[in-house]
Amino acid sequence: MSVVVANLSASDDYFRFFGLNQQFKIDLSALDQAYLAIQKEVHPDRHARGSDTEQRLAMQMATMANTAYQTLKNPILRGLYLCQLHGVDAKLETNTAMPAAFLMKQMEWRESLDDQAEDLPALEGLMVEVEQSKADILTEITQAIDGAKNYERAAELLRGLLFIDKFAIELDDTIAALI
């Protein structure tokens, strides 16, 4: 019994591994289908009677599939991965520089959250604004990567999206505590 599933020679490229085009905007249902097909093929039960080598290969494929799937499913991780594939390190740990307007918006949101921590309708309104901002940045990232192939710009946008995403989680937690 041999393991013939994903493109193993493409293990250095998660997109090819799943048979997807290397782009930011991907078909998530196609990703899900490819992932499930691979997981079904490499499931330990299918290789219980196989040699140690076959079992180890199946486990490696399952691990690779999980890592690749989690990376491509998450827009921030997918964008960072695409930047990395094209030689651009987003330097998340060291580069926290953001445009002044972006920082002002972050401070405004933070103040709104602090001032209206008990006001559910106000917090829900803030969430709509934050979600719209996320959607706008995702559109810009799609244009930067899939359109302009400008991975430096995409890395900047991804750093901003990371800030917005963290704030959205905090805001969501605050709303959940009131409900």
Side-chain angles (χ1 to χ4, degrees):
M1 173 187 274
S2 66
V3 178
V4 180
V5 284
N7 185 353
L8 234 151
S9 65
S11 60
D12 61 332
D13 181 335
Y14 295 165
F15 293 93
R16 283 194 311 153
F17 183 78
F18 287 122
L20 300 170
N21 290 331
Q22 196 183 92
Q23 59 191 40
F24 184 72
K25 188 173 183 160
I26 61 173
D27 181 345
L28 291 174
S29 65
L31 173 63
D32 289 343
Q33 289 171 359
Y35 172 72
L36 292 173
I38 290 169
Q39 288 297 45
K40 187 175 158 192
E41 283 294 317
V42 298
H43 194 277
D45 292 348
R46 288 190 60 133
H47 301 280
R49 292 198 175 105
S51 69
D52 286 348
T53 303
E54 288 171 340
Q55 289 178 17
R56 193 168 40 257
L57 181 59
M59 181 58 75
Q60 288 172 344
M61 289 291 290
T63 301
M64 170 73 179
N66 284 333
T67 302
Y69 180 73
Q70 294 306 322
T71 300
L72 297 186
K73 188 141 184 88
N74 179 305
I76 294 173
L77 296 177
R78 181 171 62 247
L80 292 171
Y81 180 69
L82 278 162
C83 288
Q84 177 190 334
L85 284 177
H86 291 88
V88 175
D89 178 1
K91 298 181 179 82
L92 296 179
E93 298 80 24
T94 57
N95 188 347
T96 56
M98 291 286 152
F102 180 84
L103 294 175
M104 292 301 292
K105 179 54 78 178
Q106 294 291 306
M107 288 172 35
E108 184 184 305
W109 286 349
R110 174 80 39 214
E111 285 176 20
S112 293
L113 177 59
D114 293 344
D115 293 347
Q116 301 167 335
E118 303 296 319
D119 184 347
L120 186 58
L123 293 177
E124 288 173 338
L126 180 58
M127 183 58 94
V128 169
E129 183 181 336
V130 170
E131 290 298 327
Q132 183 59 56
S133 184
K134 267 175 78 168
D136 292 346
I137 287 189
L138 284 168
T139 298
E140 283 188 67
I141 292 168
T142 302
Q143 291 167 347
I145 293 175
D146 296 348
K149 307 286 185 226
N150 184 342
Y151 299 97
E152 295 287 346
R153 175 69 179 137
E156 290 172 20
L157 293 165
L158 286 158
R159 284 193 302 272
L161 183 58
L162 203 53
F163 276 95
I164 293 171
D165 207 43
K166 284 181 183 176
F167 181 79
I169 291 168
E170 188 178 336
L171 177 57
D172 193 51
D173 289 346
T174 303
I175 291 171
L178 293 176
I179 299 177

